[in-house]
Amino acid sequence: MLHDPKEYPEPTCFRPERYLKDGKLNPAVRSPNTLAFGFGRRICPGRYLSSGSLFMTIASILHTFDIHEIPDDNGKAFDPFSSVVTGLISTPDHIPCKLIPRSDVKKHLIDNSI
Ligand code: HEM
């Protein structure tokens, strides 16, 4: 259902802006939240834990690191979907990138949290 091209044109393309209109969430595009965790009586009881954990993890990474892509040997941008590991959840095999602390303060924060 999350790959329905009527709901999500070119569903396999990473295009987060598909959910936006004029810089705001577009209510006309179905939120994946209404499907990703199932629905009805068997809806996932871990959905709030998962959403909260993912939000905190992603926000913490973006707060502390600048993320730079590492181009391939020919200088071209790496295509993360060129080698995908399939399974219950498909993931890129690897994503070559550099994570640089955004400032000395952030570096200190990272050093003290390990
Ligand atoms: C991103 C993370 C997660 C996703 C995408 C996800 C998705 C799902 C989906 C699609 C179902 C099936 C719903 C159905 O049968 O209609 C499900 C069921 C379930 N999930 Fe999750 N889940 C996630 C994380 C978690 C976590 C963290 C927990 C526990 C802490 C959890 C516990 C369960 C349980 C116990 C069921 C079975 C519910 C039942 O059959 O009554 N899930 N989940």
Side-chain angles (χ1 to χ4, degrees), residues 7-113:
E7 295 264 13
Y8 309 105
E10 295 186 81
T12 58
C13 290
F14 177 66
R15 194 178 299 142
E17 66 276 14
R18 70 171 80 237
Y19 300 103
L20 300 178
K21 189 176 181 191
D22 302 327
K24 294 189 177 146
L25 272 182
N26 181 358
V29 181
R30 182 199 276 271
S31 165
N33 259 338
T34 61
L35 297 171
F37 295 104
F39 34 78
R41 283 178 21 167
R42 307 308 294 264
I43 193 168
C44 175
R47 61 195 184 282
Y48 298 114
L49 176 66
S50 306
S51 297
S53 306
L54 277 170
F55 181 86
M56 287 306 293
T57 303
I58 294 168
S60 300
I61 292 170
L62 295 178
H63 177 72
T64 43
F65 291 102
D66 281 327
I67 304 171
H68 299 270
E69 68 176 343
I70 299 177
D72 68 14
D73 293 343
N74 301 317
K76 280 179 65 180
F78 178 78
D79 174 10
F81 297 102
S82 60
S83 56
V84 173
V85 181
T86 54
L88 182 60
I89 296 174
S90 302
T91 55
D93 183 39
H94 64 290
I95 301 179
C97 62
K98 268 189 292 194
L99 280 84
I100 314 271
R102 292 168 67 99
S103 67
D104 286 343
V105 174
K106 299 291 185 322
K107 186 176 180 321
H108 187 69
L109 189 67
I110 296 158
D111 287 343
N112 284 318
S113 65

